[in-house]
Amino acid sequence: MNKARIAVLVSGGGTNLQALIDAQNNNIINNGEIRLVISNKPEAYALKRADKANIDAICINKKECGSQEAFEKAIIAKLEAYGIDLIVLAGFMSILSEEFTSRYPKRIINIHPSLIPSFCGKGYYGLHVHEAALAKGVKVTGATVHFVNEIPDGGEIIMQKAVEVKDGDTAEALQLRVMEEAEWIILPAAVEMIAKEIAK
Ligand code: GAR
């Protein structure tokens, strides 16, 4: 069987990358294989997680590239060199241009830490999403996996899972619960579902 070749794009701690690596090791992901990890931040701990799992990992720094266009060209060159079929944004904190996203229709997916269309779009990333959810006083939040198009967090929804907000939650506590109860479950499940389509 030909497995879908997966690239994971990251910027930070990489707990979602770790969930994907674990899912691959536990045969939750069977139809795809993580071939490459790309970080836009040299200090991202996600790079170390990839190293430990013997996955090729590189940093492509936007500042060093000089422009968004050069940054994206450098990413595309790596994706092509590795014959990547599916691009997974797992805590990747850089918005990709329409030139980039339109090259890969339904081949880029993203995990977002809220129930889209709540708390999403420009400025809603990482802890800010949970701060906004707490400020609004919602009683239920969650995570969403969606296809990536030219609208930030605007592509077709693939999977969602709801998570309870508890009295006295801090943004950090809520972030961890959303990760444990939703993100680390639905991201591997969605990757397997799409990898299966590609591998057919
Ligand atoms: C995750 O909560 C992810 O959903 C979020 O950043 C965190 C990255 O954590 N992504 C976004 O906010 C994208 N808009 P990780 O590096 O430990 O996976």
Side-chain angles (χ1 to χ4, degrees):
M1 185 187 70
N2 281 331
K3 294 195 181 205
R5 294 164 197 235
I6 300 167
V8 185
L9 273 53
V10 295
S11 299
T15 63
N16 278 289
L17 169 66
Q18 191 65 55
L20 293 172
I21 293 169
D22 294 346
Q24 193 169 277
N25 292 337
N26 297 332
N27 289 324
I28 291 166
I29 296 177
N30 265 315
N31 285 280
E33 191 177 355
I34 306 168
R35 293 292 187 99
L36 176 65
V37 170
I38 300 177
S39 172
N40 64 334
K41 300 261 188 242
E43 70 279 8
Y45 186 69
L47 287 169
K48 294 210 170 65
R49 294 182 190 270
D51 272 347
K52 278 186 199 159
N54 284 318
I55 298 167
D56 287 359
I58 54 164
C59 176
I60 300 177
N61 190 316
K62 186 149 72 175
K63 274 196 197 121
E64 281 170 15
C65 291
S67 68
Q68 181 72 22
E69 197 187 347
F71 172 62
E72 293 184 353
K73 272 195 175 146
I75 297 176
I76 291 166
K78 284 290 172 189
L79 297 175
E80 286 181 354
Y82 279 78
I84 296 300
D85 302 304
L86 175 63
I87 302 160
V88 180
L89 310 185
F92 185 64
M93 301 305 186
S94 182
I95 291 177
L96 296 162
S97 73
E98 185 169 3
E99 283 69 48
F100 187 98
T101 58
S102 63
R103 270 182 101 101
Y104 304 100
K106 295 216 171 178
R107 289 293 179 267
I108 314 174
I109 70 173
N110 178 50
I111 177 85
H112 183 77
S114 75
L115 294 174
I116 290 175
S118 290
F119 313 116
C120 66
K122 209 163 180 281
Y124 287 102
Y125 60 90
L127 211 53
H128 300 304
V129 178
H130 305 290
E131 286 164 354
L134 290 176
K136 188 70 190 173
V138 294
K139 303 299 176 205
V140 174
T141 183
T144 303
V145 180
H146 63 92
F147 286 115
V148 174
N149 64 9
E150 69 285 1
I151 303 158
D153 300 323
E156 186 188 330
I157 291 171
I158 302 165
M159 253 181 223
Q160 290 188 304
K161 192 163 185 291
V163 174
E164 192 188 346
V165 180
K166 295 193 176 160
D167 287 349
D169 262 348
T170 60
E172 288 80 3
L174 185 57
Q175 179 181 50
L176 182 61
R177 191 175 317 113
V178 168
M179 284 174 159
E180 286 176 342
E181 294 183 10
E183 295 187 48
W184 301 341
I185 300 163
I186 63 171
L187 184 60
V191 165
E192 172 61 7
M193 195 176 91
I194 296 171
K196 200 171 176 181
E197 280 294 310
I198 294 171
K200 266 206 294 220

